[in-house]
Amino acid sequence: MLRLEKRPQPSTFWTYAAPLVAVVVTILLGMALFASLGKDPVGAIRAIFYEPLFGEFSFYYRPEVIKKAAPLILIATGLAFGFRAGVWNIGAEGQYIMGAICGAGVALAFYPSESRWLVFPLAIIAGTIGGAVWGLIPALLKVKFKTNEILVSLMLVYVAQVLITAFSSGLMRNPDGHGFPGSRNLSQYPAAANSELFAGTGIHWGVIAALIAVAVAYVILTRHQFGFDVRLAGQSPKAASFSGVNPNKLVILSLLLSGGLAGLAGVFEVTGPAGQILGSFPKFYGFTAIIVAYLGRLHPVGILMAGALMALTYIGGEVAQDRQQLPAAAIMVFQGMLLFSILGVDVLTNYRLRFGKNEVR
Amino acid sequence: MTLLDLRGLTKAYPGVVANSDVSFSIGEGEIHALLGENGAGKSTLVKTIYGLVRPDAGDMTLAGQPFSPSDPRAARGSGIAMVFQHFSLFDALTVAENIALGMDNPPPRKQIAGRIREVSEKYGLPLDPDMIVGDLSAGERQRVEIIRCLLQSPRLLIMDEPTSVLTPQEVNILFETLRLLSEQGTSILYISHKLDEIRALCHRATILRLGKVVGECDPRATTSREMAEMMVGTVLQAPQRDYAEAGAEILCLKNLSAPAPHQFGTALKNIELTVRAGEVVGIGGVAGNGQDELVAALSGEMRTGEGMVVVDGASIGGLTPNARRKIGVCAAPEERNGHAAAPDMTLTENALLTGNTRMVLSKNGMLDWAKARDFADSIINAFDVRTPGTETTARALSGGNLQKFVIGREILQKPKVLVVNQPTWGVDAAAAASIRQALLDLAAGGSAVVVISQDLDEILEIADRFAALNEGRLSKPVSTKGLSIEEIGLMLGGAHDMEAAHAQA
């Protein structure tokens, strides 16, 4: 009989090996899936993992991977704090959209200013505040009225989605846009544009911000009292309360933090790759970031790698659709497999497999 | 007639031999004591008999037949029953539902309540099958477990530290039941380190030390001291103390009242208590009578009204735990894993858990891990915590060792007021003596110490004054000089409740 036995200490080996094993397992499962669809399994895997990075058109795909990874990493890093503390912010998508709306709103208010050193920083600050305030709403409701932050933050996503559609065809509509919905294109507005810092690399300010966020989050989690309190509250709420951690403060701080970072990602997206406020503003970064946070096992460095991997499967998935005529659904199944494998293999970090009869020590 | 015979049982785990060539036998109807410190191998041995552990070598015979249970179900099938130290009951279900859940072949639902009443009458264990378990005292919960065993008519009943949660009167009731069972031919394997109980109850005792049988004796003809010394292997030091003149009032509880913090909690009602510098006040009572709530009200986990908790003349009822630590009020709650310590964190992190304020283990919010590690190290050294190192997780430590760490962590912070709940629960005799000595030394240094404990011997040993906590009310403290266990038992009021329950049943 096969069974799991809890390890007295988490295994150091599996902490690092698990993600690698999981990727290998996913590749094998994926190949089986693609083969069963009558596609070339090796070619499909190659299209997903190899072509975007090293293939013929990698000069185009690499920047795309980086641009896709940056918001995921930025949002997931913020979410990791809340998730570790047991505060479930599911509404990063809404906070991300509100960041974009507020950032774009401030930038457009100064149009056609030429003062880059005023408009761009102000837009960033406004976006961060916008996201943070959107995160603060479920926090305050939870602290004051014991509402469930999962529901409130999630419902606020739909509010934000309605707002961005309304703004794109109302208040923020481009006056020179012949009546079409959508704001002015911010990436063509030099004072507010979040353009590539090095041509052809895909590296914009959001990428820099994501890297800084990862580094700062790492320091906070491992060396700062706040990070300690977050970990303690998540692992052992009673011990945290005995230690003197104020759970309400933790709820407010972690939602402010994750909301703020999601808002930040929103500004960088709206002033850069997306360019404008529009109903079809790039969606799902806020939801995908939840997966990224867990794939990276809520660790900043892990999130950095998970974000890059996730972005790669998106871009690679597009390549595979294009080259191998794989259906889009197969790519989504493949991404799902990745998540399941990581969670499955992850069990080995805290448990060991045993064969044979039960024995309790 | 021999019921169970063990021959040469050996079980080794990586790095430690839990049982080495253990042989002894239990007669039919015999109450046999298994005596030993934590880590002596009692648990492994009992788990072997109960089918949870397979021995590497050696064999067992049960009533002359070879006996090697492959799992607890097989052991129960052969007539072995066990009452564990920690109960596995569902608070929200009734007694009858809990009993039915834990049985291999439960009788039909309609009959079970009747069967429970029958058994509880027969063995003098008052218990109402329709009560919700969450409302029961620890003694009544234990009866649920015992009755569950008795419903299967066992030939051998194993009891692991059964009296650690009972009042003296409840202990007497339990002993009556066990004697009755023994007269009717049921054998009992009684595991404990409370020597007086073993002398009062058991017919024979086997003493284990470091996995080996080091002696066998007739406990009725052996003194407690002799048995303790066999168990520990050295000559025991009783805690040294002198009843010093108590100093100024430090801690003052004035009409302390607080509502129950959760559904199965206890409200505190009008508690009055003064603790002076250099004094140890012992608070006794059966678990669930407000101990956890009292600790929470003192540690700062639960805030109370203005002026109810006063330290050095200042009201601290509204202060956070860390603000209280700053002025020197430290506490150690009962539950080690998950309350006093975070099980998945390392000892260094657990040292930081309460040590940050007084030991200054951080600067501007940035944690000084090197300093925290040194603090953890000093606790490990000063309190002889057996662990590979400071980076071991708390859950990897044995209960006794973690308890030493938790108590040591608070004592080394040199608090002005220390509140501990069950400081030596599950700790071996030698370590318990050193913890008690450390508490006395702290008081001798001028601190006010409150020891909440269900171990009345412990309270008599170290406390200057005693008060009983019963349903959230604290009795008037009395001096422990000349106070007998019986008088304490009456103060606890547990026996009174039980007679009432008996009348209902």
Side-chain angles (χ1 to χ4, degrees), chain A residues 7-9 222-225 228 231-232 235-236 238-239 241-243 359-361, chain B residues 11 47 52-53 301 325 331 335 338-339 345 349 353 356 365 367 369 392-393 395:
Chain A
R7 297 175 190 271
Q9 299 256 24
T222 55
R223 306 221 160 256
H224 195 271
Q225 179 78 43
F228 181 76
R231 289 190 292 134
L232 184 58
Q235 288 184 7
S236 190
K238 275 180 81 183
S241 134
F242 171 60
S243 169
E359 187 167 296
V360 178
R361 186 173 168 180
Chain B
K11 175 74 192 178
K47 283 174 181 168
L52 282 163
V53 166
E301 274 190 80
R325 288 185 187 116
E335 197 188 342
H339 194 184
M345 286 191 157
E349 289 171 306
L353 191 95
N356 198 353
L367 305 172
W369 285 117
T392 308
T393 53
R395 75 166 188 237

mmCIF file of all heavy atoms in Angstrom, chain A residues 7-9 222-225 228 231-232 235-236 238-239 241-243 359-361, chain B residues 11 47 52-53 301 325 331 335 338-339 345 349 353 356 365 367 369 392-393 395:
data_model
loop_
_atom_site.group_PDB
_atom_site.id
_atom_site.type_symbol
_atom_site.label_atom_id
_atom_site.label_comp_id
_atom_site.label_asym_id
_atom_site.label_seq_id
_atom_site.Cartn_x
_atom_site.Cartn_y
_atom_site.Cartn_z
ATOM 1 N N ARG A 7 6.888 14.532 7.096
ATOM 2 C CA ARG A 7 8.287 14.660 7.510
ATOM 3 C C ARG A 7 8.386 15.549 8.741
ATOM 4 O O ARG A 7 7.632 16.520 8.837
ATOM 5 C CB ARG A 7 9.112 15.333 6.416
ATOM 6 C CG ARG A 7 9.189 14.591 5.125
ATOM 7 C CD ARG A 7 9.949 15.453 4.124
ATOM 8 N NE ARG A 7 9.859 14.896 2.787
ATOM 9 C CZ ARG A 7 10.716 14.002 2.302
ATOM 10 N NH1 ARG A 7 11.723 13.592 3.035
ATOM 11 N NH2 ARG A 7 10.574 13.544 1.079
ATOM 12 N N PRO A 8 9.315 15.246 9.657
ATOM 13 C CA PRO A 8 9.490 16.139 10.801
ATOM 14 C C PRO A 8 9.986 17.516 10.353
ATOM 15 O O PRO A 8 9.638 18.531 10.936
ATOM 16 C CB PRO A 8 10.516 15.428 11.681
ATOM 17 C CG PRO A 8 11.119 14.361 10.845
ATOM 18 C CD PRO A 8 10.181 14.061 9.723
ATOM 19 N N GLN A 9 10.791 17.560 9.324
ATOM 20 C CA GLN A 9 11.280 18.823 8.775
ATOM 21 C C GLN A 9 10.980 18.813 7.284
ATOM 22 O O GLN A 9 11.094 17.773 6.652
ATOM 23 C CB GLN A 9 12.806 18.913 8.903
ATOM 24 C CG GLN A 9 13.335 18.855 10.303
ATOM 25 C CD GLN A 9 13.754 20.220 10.788
ATOM 26 O OE1 GLN A 9 13.277 21.230 10.307
ATOM 27 N NE2 GLN A 9 14.627 20.260 11.754
ATOM 28 N N THR A 222 12.275 37.712 4.856
ATOM 29 C CA THR A 222 13.283 36.969 5.611
ATOM 30 C C THR A 222 13.896 37.777 6.755
ATOM 31 O O THR A 222 14.400 37.196 7.699
ATOM 32 C CB THR A 222 14.432 36.500 4.688
ATOM 33 O OG1 THR A 222 14.952 37.637 4.007
ATOM 34 C CG2 THR A 222 13.928 35.483 3.681
ATOM 35 N N ARG A 223 13.877 39.109 6.667
ATOM 36 C CA ARG A 223 14.630 39.873 7.656
ATOM 37 C C ARG A 223 13.812 40.902 8.421
ATOM 38 O O ARG A 223 14.345 41.535 9.338
ATOM 39 C CB ARG A 223 15.802 40.622 6.992
ATOM 40 C CG ARG A 223 16.700 39.751 6.199
ATOM 41 C CD ARG A 223 18.160 40.108 6.388
ATOM 42 N NE ARG A 223 18.988 38.986 6.006
ATOM 43 C CZ ARG A 223 19.587 38.181 6.877
ATOM 44 N NH1 ARG A 223 19.487 38.400 8.154
ATOM 45 N NH2 ARG A 223 20.301 37.156 6.459
ATOM 46 N N HIS A 224 12.550 41.108 8.030
ATOM 47 C CA HIS A 224 11.820 42.187 8.690
ATOM 48 C C HIS A 224 10.719 41.640 9.579
ATOM 49 O O HIS A 224 10.169 40.568 9.327
ATOM 50 C CB HIS A 224 11.224 43.138 7.642
ATOM 51 C CG HIS A 224 10.770 44.442 8.221
ATOM 52 N ND1 HIS A 224 9.503 44.614 8.719
ATOM 53 C CD2 HIS A 224 11.418 45.614 8.428
ATOM 54 C CE1 HIS A 224 9.383 45.851 9.189
ATOM 55 N NE2 HIS A 224 10.542 46.472 9.022
ATOM 56 N N GLN A 225 10.419 42.370 10.616
ATOM 57 C CA GLN A 225 9.372 41.969 11.559
ATOM 58 C C GLN A 225 8.048 41.726 10.842
ATOM 59 O O GLN A 225 7.340 40.765 11.148
ATOM 60 C CB GLN A 225 9.206 43.069 12.622
ATOM 61 C CG GLN A 225 8.121 42.781 13.655
ATOM 62 C CD GLN A 225 8.580 41.787 14.701
ATOM 63 O OE1 GLN A 225 9.694 41.877 15.195
ATOM 64 N NE2 GLN A 225 7.737 40.836 15.033
ATOM 65 N N PHE A 228 8.030 38.416 9.231
ATOM 66 C CA PHE A 228 7.944 37.381 10.261
ATOM 67 C C PHE A 228 6.504 37.244 10.749
ATOM 68 O O PHE A 228 5.977 36.137 10.858
ATOM 69 C CB PHE A 228 8.872 37.742 11.422
ATOM 70 C CG PHE A 228 8.879 36.723 12.535
ATOM 71 C CD1 PHE A 228 9.563 35.528 12.391
ATOM 72 C CD2 PHE A 228 8.196 36.971 13.715
ATOM 73 C CE1 PHE A 228 9.561 34.586 13.398
ATOM 74 C CE2 PHE A 228 8.195 36.032 14.738
ATOM 75 C CZ PHE A 228 8.884 34.837 14.574
ATOM 76 N N ARG A 231 4.375 35.469 8.158
ATOM 77 C CA ARG A 231 4.591 34.023 8.108
ATOM 78 C C ARG A 231 3.976 33.361 9.334
ATOM 79 O O ARG A 231 3.347 32.307 9.257
ATOM 80 C CB ARG A 231 6.085 33.718 8.030
ATOM 81 C CG ARG A 231 6.680 34.089 6.681
ATOM 82 C CD ARG A 231 8.082 33.552 6.544
ATOM 83 N NE ARG A 231 9.004 34.218 7.456
ATOM 84 C CZ ARG A 231 9.891 33.573 8.195
ATOM 85 N NH1 ARG A 231 9.979 32.266 8.154
ATOM 86 N NH2 ARG A 231 10.697 34.243 8.988
ATOM 87 N N LEU A 232 4.169 33.984 10.477
ATOM 88 C CA LEU A 232 3.664 33.424 11.732
ATOM 89 C C LEU A 232 2.137 33.333 11.703
ATOM 90 O O LEU A 232 1.556 32.299 12.045
ATOM 91 C CB LEU A 232 4.137 34.297 12.894
ATOM 92 C CG LEU A 232 3.794 33.834 14.292
ATOM 93 C CD1 LEU A 232 4.357 32.449 14.549
ATOM 94 C CD2 LEU A 232 4.357 34.808 15.315
ATOM 95 N N GLN A 235 1.005 30.490 9.430
ATOM 96 C CA GLN A 235 1.304 29.128 9.871
ATOM 97 C C GLN A 235 0.542 28.760 11.120
ATOM 98 O O GLN A 235 0.184 27.609 11.325
ATOM 99 C CB GLN A 235 2.801 28.984 10.172
ATOM 100 C CG GLN A 235 3.654 28.971 8.948
ATOM 101 C CD GLN A 235 5.101 28.728 9.284
ATOM 102 O OE1 GLN A 235 5.445 28.446 10.424
ATOM 103 N NE2 GLN A 235 5.952 28.836 8.307
ATOM 104 N N SER A 236 0.387 29.718 11.998
ATOM 105 C CA SER A 236 -0.074 29.375 13.327
ATOM 106 C C SER A 236 -0.756 30.587 13.962
ATOM 107 O O SER A 236 -0.144 31.326 14.714
ATOM 108 C CB SER A 236 1.179 28.956 14.103
ATOM 109 O OG SER A 236 0.890 28.414 15.294
ATOM 110 N N LYS A 238 -2.850 31.156 16.320
ATOM 111 C CA LYS A 238 -2.874 31.328 17.769
ATOM 112 C C LYS A 238 -1.516 31.761 18.300
ATOM 113 O O LYS A 238 -1.423 32.585 19.205
ATOM 114 C CB LYS A 238 -3.313 30.015 18.445
ATOM 115 C CG LYS A 238 -4.817 29.857 18.515
ATOM 116 C CD LYS A 238 -5.203 28.550 19.197
ATOM 117 C CE LYS A 238 -5.139 28.648 20.699
ATOM 118 N NZ LYS A 238 -5.456 27.325 21.318
ATOM 119 N N ALA A 239 -0.460 31.180 17.735
ATOM 120 C CA ALA A 239 0.879 31.585 18.162
ATOM 121 C C ALA A 239 1.116 33.043 17.792
ATOM 122 O O ALA A 239 1.767 33.786 18.528
ATOM 123 C CB ALA A 239 1.933 30.681 17.532
ATOM 124 N N SER A 241 -1.161 35.399 17.625
ATOM 125 C CA SER A 241 -1.888 36.250 18.555
ATOM 126 C C SER A 241 -1.163 36.306 19.898
ATOM 127 O O SER A 241 -1.046 37.353 20.525
ATOM 128 C CB SER A 241 -3.323 35.727 18.683
ATOM 129 O OG SER A 241 -3.725 35.669 20.014
ATOM 130 N N PHE A 242 -0.578 35.186 20.313
ATOM 131 C CA PHE A 242 0.212 35.172 21.546
ATOM 132 C C PHE A 242 1.465 36.037 21.393
ATOM 133 O O PHE A 242 1.860 36.755 22.302
ATOM 134 C CB PHE A 242 0.605 33.729 21.886
ATOM 135 C CG PHE A 242 1.589 33.605 23.009
ATOM 136 C CD1 PHE A 242 1.291 34.081 24.281
ATOM 137 C CD2 PHE A 242 2.824 33.004 22.807
ATOM 138 C CE1 PHE A 242 2.200 33.966 25.320
ATOM 139 C CE2 PHE A 242 3.736 32.888 23.846
ATOM 140 C CZ PHE A 242 3.423 33.373 25.095
ATOM 141 N N SER A 243 2.050 35.980 20.212
ATOM 142 C CA SER A 243 3.259 36.765 19.968
ATOM 143 C C SER A 243 2.968 38.262 19.968
ATOM 144 O O SER A 243 3.858 39.061 20.212
ATOM 145 C CB SER A 243 3.862 36.350 18.631
ATOM 146 O OG SER A 243 4.866 37.233 18.242
ATOM 147 N N GLU A 359 2.518 2.321 9.911
ATOM 148 C CA GLU A 359 3.278 2.274 11.151
ATOM 149 C C GLU A 359 3.380 3.688 11.658
ATOM 150 O O GLU A 359 3.798 4.582 10.939
ATOM 151 C CB GLU A 359 4.662 1.695 10.917
ATOM 152 C CG GLU A 359 5.396 1.492 12.204
ATOM 153 C CD GLU A 359 6.623 0.624 11.999
ATOM 154 O OE1 GLU A 359 6.454 -0.547 11.631
ATOM 155 O OE2 GLU A 359 7.723 1.134 12.212
ATOM 156 N N VAL A 360 2.965 3.896 12.883
ATOM 157 C CA VAL A 360 3.018 5.240 13.437
ATOM 158 C C VAL A 360 4.099 5.255 14.482
ATOM 159 O O VAL A 360 4.145 4.391 15.342
ATOM 160 C CB VAL A 360 1.672 5.632 14.073
ATOM 161 C CG1 VAL A 360 1.776 7.015 14.669
ATOM 162 C CG2 VAL A 360 0.575 5.583 13.035
ATOM 163 N N ARG A 361 4.953 6.213 14.369
ATOM 164 C CA ARG A 361 6.010 6.266 15.357
ATOM 165 C C ARG A 361 5.532 6.999 16.582
ATOM 166 O O ARG A 361 4.927 8.030 16.469
ATOM 167 C CB ARG A 361 7.205 7.016 14.788
ATOM 168 C CG ARG A 361 8.362 6.947 15.732
ATOM 169 C CD ARG A 361 9.605 7.556 15.092
ATOM 170 N NE ARG A 361 10.583 7.725 16.143
ATOM 171 C CZ ARG A 361 11.769 8.223 15.937
ATOM 172 N NH1 ARG A 361 12.117 8.597 14.747
ATOM 173 N NH2 ARG A 361 12.601 8.348 16.926
ATOM 174 N N LYS B 11 12.921 -2.546 19.140
ATOM 175 C CA LYS B 11 12.501 -1.691 18.038
ATOM 176 C C LYS B 11 13.485 -0.527 17.947
ATOM 177 O O LYS B 11 13.695 0.196 18.925
ATOM 178 C CB LYS B 11 11.084 -1.150 18.288
ATOM 179 C CG LYS B 11 10.617 -0.157 17.252
ATOM 180 C CD LYS B 11 10.273 -0.818 15.935
ATOM 181 C CE LYS B 11 10.090 0.188 14.822
ATOM 182 N NZ LYS B 11 9.802 -0.466 13.535
ATOM 183 N N LYS B 47 2.567 0.994 21.752
ATOM 184 C CA LYS B 47 2.127 0.972 20.357
ATOM 185 C C LYS B 47 2.390 -0.390 19.728
ATOM 186 O O LYS B 47 1.668 -0.812 18.827
ATOM 187 C CB LYS B 47 2.847 2.064 19.564
ATOM 188 C CG LYS B 47 2.272 3.441 19.830
ATOM 189 C CD LYS B 47 3.106 4.497 19.137
ATOM 190 C CE LYS B 47 2.554 5.883 19.409
ATOM 191 N NZ LYS B 47 3.502 6.908 18.984
ATOM 192 N N LEU B 52 0.322 -0.673 16.434
ATOM 193 C CA LEU B 52 0.703 0.518 15.672
ATOM 194 C C LEU B 52 2.151 0.450 15.224
ATOM 195 O O LEU B 52 2.549 1.130 14.290
ATOM 196 C CB LEU B 52 0.499 1.776 16.521
ATOM 197 C CG LEU B 52 -0.926 2.273 16.660
ATOM 198 C CD1 LEU B 52 -1.041 3.233 17.815
ATOM 199 C CD2 LEU B 52 -1.370 2.943 15.380
ATOM 200 N N VAL B 53 2.947 -0.341 15.911
ATOM 201 C CA VAL B 53 4.372 -0.447 15.607
ATOM 202 C C VAL B 53 4.707 -1.924 15.516
ATOM 203 O O VAL B 53 4.224 -2.723 16.308
ATOM 204 C CB VAL B 53 5.211 0.216 16.729
ATOM 205 C CG1 VAL B 53 6.674 -0.182 16.612
ATOM 206 C CG2 VAL B 53 5.074 1.725 16.690
ATOM 207 N N GLU B 301 -3.450 38.630 25.170
ATOM 208 C CA GLU B 301 -4.180 38.109 24.015
ATOM 209 C C GLU B 301 -5.643 38.482 24.096
ATOM 210 O O GLU B 301 -6.333 38.565 23.102
ATOM 211 C CB GLU B 301 -4.059 36.587 23.985
ATOM 212 C CG GLU B 301 -2.832 36.121 23.280
ATOM 213 C CD GLU B 301 -2.897 34.626 23.077
ATOM 214 O OE1 GLU B 301 -3.569 34.213 22.143
ATOM 215 O OE2 GLU B 301 -2.291 33.898 23.877
ATOM 216 N N ARG B 325 5.012 42.830 27.614
ATOM 217 C CA ARG B 325 6.364 42.275 27.767
ATOM 218 C C ARG B 325 7.338 43.392 28.104
ATOM 219 O O ARG B 325 8.247 43.203 28.898
ATOM 220 C CB ARG B 325 6.793 41.571 26.472
ATOM 221 C CG ARG B 325 6.045 40.276 26.274
ATOM 222 C CD ARG B 325 6.520 39.485 25.067
ATOM 223 N NE ARG B 325 5.616 38.355 24.875
ATOM 224 C CZ ARG B 325 4.835 38.182 23.820
ATOM 225 N NH1 ARG B 325 4.900 39.012 22.806
ATOM 226 N NH2 ARG B 325 4.010 37.159 23.750
ATOM 227 N N ALA B 331 4.307 35.395 29.631
ATOM 228 C CA ALA B 331 3.379 34.291 29.849
ATOM 229 C C ALA B 331 3.776 33.101 28.987
ATOM 230 O O ALA B 331 4.476 33.254 27.989
ATOM 231 C CB ALA B 331 1.950 34.721 29.500
ATOM 232 N N GLU B 335 -0.871 25.159 25.567
ATOM 233 C CA GLU B 335 -0.676 24.407 24.341
ATOM 234 C C GLU B 335 0.653 24.812 23.714
ATOM 235 O O GLU B 335 0.831 25.936 23.287
ATOM 236 C CB GLU B 335 -1.835 24.747 23.398
ATOM 237 C CG GLU B 335 -2.010 23.791 22.269
ATOM 238 C CD GLU B 335 -3.046 24.314 21.285
ATOM 239 O OE1 GLU B 335 -3.832 25.211 21.645
ATOM 240 O OE2 GLU B 335 -3.046 23.823 20.159
ATOM 241 N N GLY B 338 1.572 25.315 18.480
ATOM 242 C CA GLY B 338 0.513 26.071 17.847
ATOM 243 C C GLY B 338 0.030 27.259 18.656
ATOM 244 O O GLY B 338 -0.743 28.059 18.175
ATOM 245 N N HIS B 339 0.464 27.377 19.908
ATOM 246 C CA HIS B 339 0.080 28.557 20.675
ATOM 247 C C HIS B 339 1.326 29.190 21.300
ATOM 248 O O HIS B 339 1.706 30.298 20.960
ATOM 249 C CB HIS B 339 -0.947 28.171 21.749
ATOM 250 C CG HIS B 339 -1.649 29.361 22.348
ATOM 251 N ND1 HIS B 339 -2.542 29.262 23.361
ATOM 252 C CD2 HIS B 339 -1.578 30.672 22.062
ATOM 253 C CE1 HIS B 339 -2.983 30.470 23.676
ATOM 254 N NE2 HIS B 339 -2.414 31.333 22.893
ATOM 255 N N MET B 345 8.015 26.432 12.613
ATOM 256 C CA MET B 345 9.127 27.388 12.611
ATOM 257 C C MET B 345 10.300 26.813 13.397
ATOM 258 O O MET B 345 10.140 25.942 14.238
ATOM 259 C CB MET B 345 8.673 28.711 13.208
ATOM 260 C CG MET B 345 7.782 29.495 12.269
ATOM 261 S SD MET B 345 7.533 31.173 12.883
ATOM 262 C CE MET B 345 7.120 32.023 11.373
ATOM 263 N N GLU B 349 13.392 31.025 15.256
ATOM 264 C CA GLU B 349 12.198 31.835 14.999
ATOM 265 C C GLU B 349 11.267 31.822 16.201
ATOM 266 O O GLU B 349 10.640 32.827 16.528
ATOM 267 C CB GLU B 349 11.473 31.306 13.752
ATOM 268 C CG GLU B 349 12.232 31.584 12.479
ATOM 269 C CD GLU B 349 11.635 30.874 11.260
ATOM 270 O OE1 GLU B 349 11.461 29.638 11.306
ATOM 271 O OE2 GLU B 349 11.356 31.550 10.268
ATOM 272 N N LEU B 353 9.683 34.747 18.685
ATOM 273 C CA LEU B 353 8.226 34.850 18.832
ATOM 274 C C LEU B 353 7.816 35.702 20.026
ATOM 275 O O LEU B 353 6.908 36.510 19.946
ATOM 276 C CB LEU B 353 7.655 33.433 18.953
ATOM 277 C CG LEU B 353 6.156 33.280 18.862
ATOM 278 C CD1 LEU B 353 5.760 32.954 17.441
ATOM 279 C CD2 LEU B 353 5.673 32.151 19.744
ATOM 280 N N ASN B 356 11.474 39.145 21.209
ATOM 281 C CA ASN B 356 11.931 40.338 20.497
ATOM 282 C C ASN B 356 11.931 41.591 21.370
ATOM 283 O O ASN B 356 12.866 42.380 21.348
ATOM 284 C CB ASN B 356 11.040 40.539 19.272
ATOM 285 C CG ASN B 356 11.683 41.458 18.262
ATOM 286 O OD1 ASN B 356 12.734 42.034 18.551
ATOM 287 N ND2 ASN B 356 11.084 41.606 17.113
ATOM 288 N N GLY B 365 12.773 47.404 13.093
ATOM 289 C CA GLY B 365 11.976 46.416 12.383
ATOM 290 C C GLY B 365 12.799 45.361 11.667
ATOM 291 O O GLY B 365 12.265 44.347 11.244
ATOM 292 N N LEU B 367 15.151 42.315 11.596
ATOM 293 C CA LEU B 367 15.433 41.292 12.591
ATOM 294 C C LEU B 367 16.919 40.951 12.613
ATOM 295 O O LEU B 367 17.564 40.880 11.577
ATOM 296 C CB LEU B 367 14.628 40.028 12.273
ATOM 297 C CG LEU B 367 13.123 40.271 12.138
ATOM 298 C CD1 LEU B 367 12.429 39.020 11.628
ATOM 299 C CD2 LEU B 367 12.537 40.691 13.470
ATOM 300 N N TRP B 369 18.969 38.091 13.119
ATOM 301 C CA TRP B 369 18.874 36.626 13.253
ATOM 302 C C TRP B 369 20.014 36.056 14.068
ATOM 303 O O TRP B 369 19.842 35.053 14.775
ATOM 304 C CB TRP B 369 18.801 35.956 11.885
ATOM 305 C CG TRP B 369 17.467 36.121 11.236
ATOM 306 C CD1 TRP B 369 17.202 36.779 10.078
ATOM 307 C CD2 TRP B 369 16.201 35.644 11.722
ATOM 308 N NE1 TRP B 369 15.842 36.739 9.816
ATOM 309 C CE2 TRP B 369 15.217 36.051 10.803
ATOM 310 C CE3 TRP B 369 15.812 34.920 12.851
ATOM 311 C CZ2 TRP B 369 13.869 35.756 10.969
ATOM 312 C CZ3 TRP B 369 14.466 34.626 13.024
ATOM 313 C CH2 TRP B 369 13.515 35.038 12.093
ATOM 314 N N THR B 392 16.290 23.542 14.055
ATOM 315 C CA THR B 392 15.306 22.464 14.024
ATOM 316 C C THR B 392 13.922 23.078 14.191
ATOM 317 O O THR B 392 13.766 24.040 14.931
ATOM 318 C CB THR B 392 15.575 21.503 15.190
ATOM 319 O OG1 THR B 392 16.940 21.113 15.139
ATOM 320 C CG2 THR B 392 14.704 20.276 15.107
ATOM 321 N N THR B 393 12.918 22.496 13.507
ATOM 322 C CA THR B 393 11.574 23.036 13.701
ATOM 323 C C THR B 393 11.025 22.559 15.046
ATOM 324 O O THR B 393 11.391 21.499 15.547
ATOM 325 C CB THR B 393 10.605 22.581 12.598
ATOM 326 O OG1 THR B 393 10.654 21.162 12.520
ATOM 327 C CG2 THR B 393 10.970 23.166 11.261
ATOM 328 N N ARG B 395 8.196 21.407 15.794
ATOM 329 C CA ARG B 395 7.399 20.181 15.804
ATOM 330 C C ARG B 395 8.273 18.929 15.840
ATOM 331 O O ARG B 395 7.788 17.843 16.122
ATOM 332 C CB ARG B 395 6.436 20.144 14.614
ATOM 333 C CG ARG B 395 7.063 19.846 13.276
ATOM 334 C CD ARG B 395 6.004 19.486 12.244
ATOM 335 N NE ARG B 395 6.641 19.021 11.031
ATOM 336 C CZ ARG B 395 6.457 19.558 9.832
ATOM 337 N NH1 ARG B 395 5.633 20.556 9.685
ATOM 338 N NH2 ARG B 395 7.082 19.093 8.787
#
